[in-house]
Amino acid sequence: MQCGAIMGIGDLMAQAFGNQSTFEDIDRLRTIKYATIGLIVGPFLGVWYTFLDRHVSRKDSRFKRALKKTAYDQLLLAPILTLTVIPLIGILNRQSLQCGAIMGTGDILAQTVTDKRELKQVDFKRTLKYASLGIFYVGPILKGWYKYLELLVPEKDTKFVRASKKMLIDQAIMAPLLNLTLVPLVGVVMNQSYDEIKKHLKYDYPEILKRNYMLWPAVQLINFGFIPLQFQVLFVQVIAVAWNFFLSGLLNKNN
């Protein structure tokens, strides 16, 4: 959390002093992007510094230990972290952040309604993990997929025929694949064991697909038929508040 706050403050300072932006001109979405990346970078840095502290000999003098840690850090982590952060900045966009916020909202509903927790008992760490899947996985995938469908389905067809074709392709290809990958991904970010993830795939995945086909064909027909391309991910994610409420509750029922 601290790393996210510091990266967000750093971006605000860069805009205020580097770009000479007034408070009204500050790009708050950009600041949120940097703060979100900080939330991801922070835990990795914590693990890395613990690793360095344990593996650099304590027999050395303080100065020698500091030199060794600096050398390892700059030779190993610095280039890897830089190579990771640059594409993350490119991936993050308004739609990805909206997707993360909506998936997080779905998880909070699952905890308060299904698990019957009071707001002060909500596991916000779990919510943040679930939201991160929306930001870095579901949001970017859906944005690219809808652009691809727009190019794939001919414009010469009527609006209804185009919407129907897009919906059929989406539900035949993307729906089963996205749900199939989300089940183990949720398990990984929630620190579930291999056996638990396997159990979710065996018993919960068929139920997820069954519920998917009860809801999403109609939603996607409306989405592809009436919603402009730039708002299609947002429309889907607004409907997905209820879907993520169901999904989070189902995949976290053993936690």
Side-chain angles (χ1 to χ4, degrees), residues 65-227:
R65 284 194 85 213
L67 279 179
K68 283 184 177 180
K69 286 183 180 182
T70 302
Y72 288 135
D73 183 71
Q74 293 304 298
L75 287 171
L76 297 175
L77 186 66
I80 293 170
L81 194 60
T82 303
L83 282 171
T84 306
V85 167
I86 289 171
L88 280 178
I89 292 169
I91 286 171
L92 282 174
N93 53 53
R94 187 182 298 274
Q95 290 168 321
S96 296
L97 293 170
Q98 287 167 341
C99 187
I102 288 166
M103 285 188 72
T105 301
D107 179 67
I108 290 172
L109 284 171
Q111 292 190 57
T112 53
V113 178
T114 305
D115 301 343
K116 297 184 171 19
R117 298 181 186 181
E118 294 181 17
L119 194 59
K120 62 183 179 182
Q121 297 173 314
V122 167
D123 183 353
F124 287 107
K125 188 176 177 183
R126 168 182 138 174
T127 300
L128 187 62
K129 288 178 178 180
Y130 200 71
S132 70
L133 287 175
I135 295 170
F136 296 104
Y137 184 66
V138 178
I141 281 181
L142 289 183
K143 183 182 177 184
W145 174 247
Y146 292 156
K147 283 185 177 178
Y148 173 72
L149 284 179
E150 187 70 14
L151 296 171
L152 182 67
V153 179
E155 291 188 15
K156 62 183 181 182
D157 294 329
T158 63
K159 184 181 280 191
F160 179 75
V161 170
R162 283 195 87 215
S164 299
K165 284 182 178 179
K166 285 182 181 181
M167 181 272 288
L168 289 170
I169 295 169
D170 179 74
Q171 292 302 297
I173 298 173
M174 180 54 74
L177 286 176
L178 186 61
N179 286 309
L180 183 62
T181 53
L182 266 179
V183 172
L185 278 174
V186 169
V188 169
V189 300
M190 298 302 173
N191 300 317
Q192 294 175 359
S193 68
Y194 173 76
D195 288 335
E196 282 180 304
I197 294 171
K198 204 164 132 185
K199 192 174 174 185
H200 282 309
L201 282 169
K202 185 176 180 180
Y203 298 108
D204 295 334
Y205 178 63
E207 179 65 19
I208 289 168
L209 272 190
K210 178 183 165 187
R211 298 288 185 94
N212 174 90
Y213 291 123
M214 290 167 65
L215 171 69
W216 287 107
V219 170
Q220 292 292 44
L221 200 58
I222 295 168
N223 190 31
F224 296 133
F226 301 100
I227 308 299

